[in-house]
Amino acid sequence: MSETEGQAELLAIDAEYLWHPWSPSRVSPDTLVAVSGKGCEVTDADGRTYLDAKSSGFNATLGYACGPVVDAISAQVAKLMTYDMGEGANIPAIRLAQRIGELAGPALTRTFFCNSGSEAMEAAIRIARFYQAVLGSPDRGLIVSLHNGYHGATMAGAATAGAPSPISDDLTPSGFITVPGPEEGIGALKGFLADHGKRTAAVLVEPVQSRGAYVMPEDYLRGVRELCDEHGILLVLDEVTTGFGRTGRMFGYQHAGVQPDILATSKGLAAGYISLGAVTTTQHVFEVFDSNKKMAGFVHGHTHSGHATACAAGLAVIDHIEREQLLANVQARGEQLLATLEPLRELDCVTDIRGRGLMIAVEMDRSRRAAHVRKLMRDNGVLVRRTVKNVVLAPPLILTAEQADRISRELLDAARKAALVEF
Ligand code: PLP
């Protein structure tokens, strides 16, 4: 890249050649072309620096250019970038699986590596179905997810969301259903499982739903656990966004003291430095596979499962979270943000403020108003995500008190301005 190319020149090339995820095929002229980053800040191709209150895609949990992670990656890639886990193993994958087992244990011990959150959920769903089949119920494959959930963009992930699609229903994967979540109480899931529990392989839940920081109440999560136990259903916790510190605990489920049978993680695991995903199961789930003599274990995997450099990044990320005591920082900064955003409740157009740790949403009456807030904040140098009617904050876990204050100030200011606009 020529150093003289600015946003406009780069976006002209982008418009001709790139196909962006989650967006219309034509790139918007206000797209931020990021060039460099340091800590919680990212700089665009015109040299403008922003405070990134959305951690890139909720994944840059340690911010940009985190020295120990960069060093771990450089050292590993120079020594052995990776080695195939199908017929072999490598040290970072062995060590990271051990580390996750220690953190998520005592029940969750076995880790299967993949490359993204979608792949982790895909593997979790296949594990759940294989598990029920090995136990004698090959038809027991229904996957139940909750309204407002998001579990990825593969065929199975997209099916869990029931997203609108122009494709005929006959061509979409079957065996997926969404039911109301805590907004209707545990009764909705209970009623569904009373009728369909025997056909259900797994229930998928995010401890905090990433679409709008909807926090699962602790008694609701405990209720889901009880229902799963009662019906022989596996509880899959999708911690792709919440895992590795975002809620102020290493894993979101630790707030409720509820252990899943299968835990899916990704974004915070390698903190955006390299693609990495993980599925961690109980020893029991693993042993059911192991006991099946007709099948060679879990017939599933990826070329880059257990990629050595990605796993070395994961180890450095966990070390950094612990060494810098980032979980305590997340709790403190999260409480600070929620407290300083409280005056927003005076605005009629703000319908809710919710969240846990550094995963917070301000819900507006209209999605266009939320989009306007996002734009005003960006104009003032603070990046947030807009999801439907929500302005979502998910800053890096290293956020300082001053940076948290700046986010609140800009959000208050933008929401007050947006409140005056007719949509
Ligand atoms: N599950 C949850 C809860 C997520 O938030 C996401 C991504 O936003 C995914 C799954 C999919 O992860 P990925 O985008 O890495 O495929």
Side-chain angles (χ1 to χ4, degrees):
M1 182 192 110
S2 148
E3 288 299 321
T4 57
E5 279 177 319
Q7 289 264 133
E9 292 86 348
L10 289 161
L11 286 175
I13 305 169
D14 179 316
E16 237 174 292
Y17 292 102
L18 250 177
W19 192 334
H20 286 253
W22 302 117
S23 52
S25 19
R26 300 245 164 255
V27 70
S28 131
D30 83 339
T31 298
L32 189 159
V33 181
V35 174
S36 62
K38 182 83 198 148
C40 295
E41 292 186 337
V42 67
T43 300
D44 75 10
D46 286 342
R48 184 153 189 227
T49 294
Y50 299 84
L51 173 56
D52 184 1
K54 61 185 183 63
S55 303
S56 181
F58 296 175
N59 54 340
T61 50
L62 299 187
Y64 300 91
C66 176
V69 184
V70 173
D71 292 346
I73 290 171
S74 310
Q76 187 61 45
V77 82
K79 188 172 181 188
L80 176 84
M81 83 295 193
T82 196
Y83 187 76
D84 178 37
M85 297 284 294
E87 58 150 44
N90 64 69
I91 294 174
I94 293 170
R95 288 287 182 208
L96 184 57
Q98 177 187 29
R99 203 74 202 280
I100 296 173
E102 286 163 3
L103 290 170
L108 295 153
T109 51
R110 290 278 167 180
T111 293
F112 170 91
F113 286 116
C114 53
N115 306 285
S116 67
S118 298
E119 281 184 6
M121 287 308 293
E122 186 86 14
I125 289 166
R126 293 198 74 201
I127 288 173
R129 285 180 168 173
F130 275 44
Y131 168 93
Q132 302 291 2
V134 173
L135 289 184
S137 307
D139 295 332
R140 185 170 185 168
L142 202 57
I143 302 296
V144 178
S145 53
L146 304 181
H147 288 178
N148 292 320
Y150 178 68
H151 301 292
T154 57
M155 290 282 190
T160 64
S165 156
I167 298 168
S168 149
D169 283 351
D170 295 348
L171 295 176
T172 57
S174 57
F176 294 86
I177 185 128
T178 61
V179 301
E183 67 280 6
E184 290 195 16
I186 195 72
L189 182 63
K190 191 173 185 168
F192 178 84
L193 294 180
D195 294 335
H196 304 285
K198 288 204 160 38
R199 291 171 50 221
T200 302
V203 175
L204 320 181
V205 181
E206 293 159 83
V208 182
Q209 290 180 311
S210 63
R211 270 189 177 162
Y214 301 96
V215 182
M216 288 292 143
E218 285 158 24
D219 57 345
Y220 182 84
L221 261 188
R222 282 195 283 268
V224 177
R225 178 70 273 178
E226 277 166 27
L227 285 172
C228 286
D229 289 343
E230 193 183 311
H231 292 277
I233 294 168
L234 294 182
L235 172 58
V236 176
L237 285 185
D238 179 346
E239 297 232 22
V240 166
T241 290
T242 52
F244 298 98
R246 175 136 317 275
T247 65
R249 305 289 291 264
M250 202 51 106
F251 302 106
Y253 71 78
Q254 291 167 334
H255 294 273
V258 166
Q259 294 252 7
D261 301 290
I262 304 179
L263 170 72
T265 53
S266 177
K267 295 182 194 250
L269 176 52
Y273 282 83
I274 309 195
S275 298
L276 183 60
V279 178
T280 304
T281 77
T282 58
Q283 191 63 14
H284 165 68
V285 168
F286 177 79
E287 277 167 10
V288 165
F289 277 77
D290 213 28
S291 68
N292 183 264
K293 300 299 169 219
K294 287 196 217 128
M295 210 173 61
F298 181 37
V299 189
H300 181 93
H302 309 279
T303 302
H304 292 144
S305 287
H307 190 278
T309 308
C311 291
L315 283 164
V317 166
I318 294 170
D319 281 348
H320 198 72
I321 291 173
E322 290 182 341
R323 195 173 44 241
E324 300 295 318
Q325 302 183 359
L326 293 182
L327 299 181
N329 189 55
V330 171
Q331 288 164 23
R333 299 290 78 79
E335 282 166 20
Q336 179 189 344
L337 278 168
L338 282 175
T340 50
L341 292 173
E342 206 42 34
L344 281 173
R345 291 194 196 272
E346 288 160 16
L347 298 176
D348 289 341
C349 62
V350 171
T351 53
D352 198 13
I353 304 171
R354 57 177 173 262
R356 170 169 279 162
L358 285 177
M359 180 97 200
I360 292 173
V362 174
E363 187 175 310
M364 319 283 303
D365 58 344
R366 312 284 289 265
S367 51
R368 286 177 61 202
R369 201 183 309 278
H372 192 56
V373 169
R374 175 195 157 277
K375 183 186 176 309
L376 291 173
M377 290 183 75
R378 171 163 168 188
D379 290 346
N380 281 342
V382 178
L383 306 173
V384 296
R385 182 182 277 195
R386 198 264 312 180
T387 313
V388 200
K389 295 180 187 172
N390 301 301
V391 176
V392 185
L393 307 176
L397 318 187
I398 57 170
L399 192 77
T400 65
E402 295 71 37
Q403 288 167 328
D405 270 341
R406 178 166 172 219
I407 295 169
S408 290
R409 246 191 346 267
E410 293 298 348
L411 182 42
L412 285 165
D413 190 47
R416 284 178 181 136
K417 286 190 179 125
L420 306 174
V421 181
E422 209 47 67
F423 285 104

